[in-house]
Amino acid sequence: MPSLLGLHARLVRARQKRRDAQDERSHWPQWFLLAGLREREAWSHPDPAGLTPLWPPADSFWADPFAWSLGERRFIFLEEYPCHTQRGRISVLELGADLRPLGSAQSVLDEDRHLSYPFLFCFEGELYMVPESAASRRVDLYRCQSFPDRWTHVRTLIAGLQAADATLFEHEGRWWLFCSARQGRARLNNSLLAFHADSPLSDRWLPHARNPLVRDYGGGRPGGRVFVDEQGRLLRPAQNSVPRYGHGLVLNQVQALTPEHYRERRVWQTTGAASGGWRALHHLDWHQGLLVMDAQRLIPRPLTS
């Protein structure tokens, strides 16, 4: 049965890809951000349609936002993708009291490889980032030297794996790293793999005995920070890539997580069309009351002579 479901998903995605190709002859898909202040009670059922859009320049896109605060100042770290470079970099926006950007996005990590998904976490008083660099086949850790724009490479957490959207969290005394990966029959847009270690700074992450834990285009790939909601449930945001990449977002409750076992169930889901009329929607993050998401729209391609 799983193989039949997988085949159906691939067929649906193939049909959608042909339709999208027609739309993109005159338009191109631009990711942008959504932001708003929300209480913890809203964590398990976010409302993308009620958030404020933050628009990037017409020749780039912003995606994979992670929120952070320093005192009363609010920031969003994100993937910035300038079209002329054809490569993502990590940038930061500072928001004012009205949640509008105070200036242009500032580049904080720009390398000779594509970077995205700037996952942030604090450990023992230090702020760290784990950006996605799947094409380089490693998961790298950076430490913040001067907030928000100076970051130093610390070590490689996992090498030899084409991993996307690494998401770290502590659960029952053990640190976990969830990601999507191209490994065996698992693909970047349909898989969830897990690794565990004693510390988030470890370079010896052990694979879960049942990897991949999930193979599902409708909810495998991580879509943001794993968090505990007001009911005490451990919730995992994931991407719904049927019929297209980024079509929607789901929240899965992690019901069992040990080195040998894993179980989850779907508790919430939405699509871009249902939550603002957007073409796509695939990420969320919370930090100190600030909810950030991303969405996608079609905008006209510039005229060329």
Side-chain angles (χ1 to χ4, degrees), residues 191-266:
S191 65
L192 175 68
L193 282 73
F195 301 82
H196 56 93
D198 294 332
S199 164
L201 310 186
S202 175
D203 59 0
R204 297 190 177 187
W205 290 84
L206 301 175
H208 194 283
R210 295 182 58 189
N211 275 345
L213 304 182
V214 178
R215 278 204 306 122
D216 177 13
Y217 283 103
R221 182 169 177 166
R225 184 182 311 277
V226 175
F227 60 92
V228 177
D229 73 354
E230 77 284 357
Q231 302 177 42
R233 300 178 299 180
L234 187 64
L235 299 185
R236 181 182 77 85
Q239 300 178 24
N240 173 9
S241 290
V242 181
R244 70 161 66 88
Y245 173 72
H247 178 63
L249 189 69
V250 305
L251 289 177
N252 295 320
Q253 180 187 359
V254 177
Q255 298 173 296
L257 176 59
T258 71
E260 296 80 26
H261 301 286
Y262 184 77
R263 186 174 71 255
E264 66 176 27
R265 71 180 183 94
R266 185 74 43 84

Side-chain angles (χ1 to χ4, degrees), residues 14-209:
R15 288 196 296 268
Q16 186 63 52
K17 187 174 182 180
R18 290 192 293 270
R19 290 193 290 266
D20 289 346
Q22 294 179 341
D23 292 337
E24 293 173 17
R25 289 173 184 169
S26 57
H27 292 70
W28 75 278
Q30 184 191 51
W31 288 97
F32 60 94
L33 307 186
L34 302 168
L37 298 179
R38 297 292 185 271
E39 299 296 332
R40 189 177 182 185
E41 288 73 19
W43 289 13
S44 58
H45 50 278
D47 176 22
L51 302 177
T52 300
L54 305 179
W55 309 112
D59 60 351
S60 65
F61 70 65
W62 294 339
D64 298 346
F66 283 92
W68 204 260
S69 298
L70 186 65
E72 298 298 317
R73 300 170 67 189
R74 295 188 176 96
F75 299 84
I76 302 177
F77 289 80
L78 55 102
E79 173 197 350
E80 183 176 30
Y81 188 96
C83 294
H84 69 277
T85 68
Q86 297 291 295
R87 185 180 70 237
R89 64 191 180 200
I90 305 304
S91 296
V92 64
L93 282 174
E94 183 172 2
L95 305 183
D98 60 355
L99 301 187
R100 299 290 183 180
L102 293 179
S104 302
Q106 178 183 6
S107 174
V108 301
L109 204 59
D110 192 357
E111 301 181 347
D112 60 355
R113 56 179 179 163
H114 176 80
L115 298 174
S116 60
Y117 200 86
F119 180 82
L120 300 172
F121 71 97
C122 197
F123 181 69
E124 295 182 345
E126 299 276 3
L127 179 61
Y128 293 91
M129 179 195 297
V130 182
E132 178 196 318
S133 55
S136 62
R137 298 184 61 82
R138 64 180 191 263
V139 178
D140 289 330
L141 176 72
Y142 293 76
R143 180 173 59 244
C144 186
Q145 294 296 316
S146 177
F147 189 86
D149 59 340
R150 290 183 55 198
W151 298 81
T152 301
H153 182 265
V154 177
R155 64 173 54 92
T156 296
L157 301 182
I158 299 176
L161 180 68
Q162 188 178 356
D165 302 343
T167 304
L168 283 70
F169 62 99
E170 187 177 14
H171 178 64
E172 296 182 348
R174 187 183 304 272
W175 278 88
W176 290 91
L177 187 156
F178 279 7
C179 66
S180 182
R182 184 179 297 275
Q183 185 181 70
R185 298 176 64 186
R187 296 293 179 264
L188 288 180
N189 289 336
N190 77 350
S191 65
L192 175 68
L193 282 73
F195 301 82
H196 56 93
D198 294 332
S199 164
L201 310 186
S202 175
D203 59 0
R204 297 190 177 187
W205 290 84
L206 301 175
H208 194 283

